[in-house]
Amino acid sequence: PERRPRCWYEALWALPVRTFWGCFAAVLGLMSWNSLWRLGDTFVRDYDEGRYGVAASEMFHLHSPLITTYAGATEFWNLKPPLGYWLLDLAYAIFGETPFALRLPAALCALATVALTMLLARRLAGRRTAILAGLFVTTSFGFLAHHGARSGELDTPLTLALFAALMLAPKLPDSRAARLGMGLVLSLGFLVKSFAILPYVAALGLYGLLRRGSSFWRAWVLPVSIVFIVVGTWVVARIVAED
């Protein structure tokens, strides 16, 4: 007897297992549409987005790579390290000083975050869960809208750095490369939004303490040392630049 054709939901259930990378690409395609479509068509109405855009523009024109200004005066309202502004200035240099360029770094970081979400979920829970997790993030209004993927702010670049730290955390005790990577991504996170990384670092430390015991602190010596070196270098450079 001929085999009955499978129901549509059975075929859909099997799709991530049979063609994972095709589904992976489809989710990234949907995220690209959600984050990039008409990205520059709306006016800059958000207060924080406006200040980031102006400060990055002044840094771009004044060629001051370390000190952000607003209306010509040193910017103390946001008081962020320079990495996020460098991303905005790079977009300005390529696409001009437009709302699209202001928001593009956040959109690209959001796209990378979705990709890492699926890769981590695949490692932990399998292919179906990975694709489902990617769809959840891709269609989350909070991830896309205010302070998110379609906003010219720095929360999404910080999210990308911290998600990379989440992926590295379980490997810290056993991998020197993971410890080096953790130091790098936490340094990048600090250079994007300063002390906003501290609650996350505390959560990762608690995770390690619960999973590996008190000896887990040794795995943090190298990452913390790298962060102190990078942050200390930036602090000294800014002090010298501000005279």
Side-chain angles (χ1 to χ4, degrees):
E2 294 185 3
R3 183 179 179 182
R4 294 178 54 189
R6 294 187 302 178
C7 298
W8 66 268
Y9 54 82
E10 291 180 338
L12 185 62
W13 179 251
L15 191 61
V17 176
R18 295 175 55 193
T19 58
F20 172 78
W21 294 111
C23 294
F24 183 91
V27 173
L28 291 184
L30 177 61
M31 183 61 195
S32 298
W33 175 270
N34 286 345
S35 59
L36 295 172
W37 181 68
R38 300 184 66 179
L39 183 62
D41 287 3
T42 56
F43 292 108
V44 176
R45 298 186 179 92
D46 183 80
Y47 186 80
D48 287 336
E49 185 181 37
R51 290 193 73 96
Y52 281 124
V54 170
S57 176
E58 293 189 9
M59 177 183 281
F60 182 71
H61 287 287
L62 296 175
H63 304 290
S64 173
L66 295 176
I67 302 172
T68 55
T69 61
Y70 185 84
T74 302
E75 165 72 288
F76 291 112
W77 179 270
N78 283 317
L79 199 63
K80 299 294 188 297
L83 181 56
Y85 296 100
W86 294 348
L87 295 176
L88 300 180
D89 285 346
L90 178 61
Y92 284 169
I94 297 173
F95 298 101
E97 294 173 75
T98 64
F100 173 81
L102 172 63
R103 295 162 181 158
L104 182 62
L108 295 179
C109 287
L111 187 62
T113 302
V114 171
L116 290 183
T117 298
M118 289 190 284
L119 293 176
L120 178 61
R122 180 174 183 253
R123 187 175 75 192
L124 296 177
R127 297 184 175 189
R128 292 190 182 97
T129 302
I131 299 303
L132 190 59
L135 287 172
F136 281 165
V137 178
T138 296
T139 55
S140 170
F141 179 80
F143 185 66
L144 293 169
H146 189 58
H147 296 291
R150 297 182 61 86
S151 176
E153 299 175 52
L154 304 180
D155 297 81
T156 309
L158 177 66
T159 299
L160 175 60
L162 295 182
F163 198 92
L166 174 67
M167 297 183 71
L168 292 169
K171 302 178 181 179
L172 287 185
D174 308 313
S175 171
R176 183 178 178 83
R179 294 192 287 273
L180 289 170
M182 179 67 79
L184 175 62
V185 297
L186 290 181
S187 297
L188 294 177
F190 186 94
L191 291 179
V192 169
K193 290 206 72 174
S194 185
F195 295 105
I197 70 169
L198 290 183
Y200 201 85
V201 172
L204 291 177
L206 181 61
Y207 158 81
L209 183 65
L210 294 175
R211 292 295 301 271
R212 294 294 187 105
S214 58
S215 62
F216 186 73
W217 70 270
R218 297 187 183 92
W220 281 94
V221 173
L222 181 58
V224 171
S225 299
I226 293 173
V227 172
F228 270 100
I229 291 171
V230 172
V231 173
T233 301
W234 168 71
V235 169
V236 172
R238 170 142 185 165
I239 290 173
V240 172
E242 285 191 295
D243 194 24

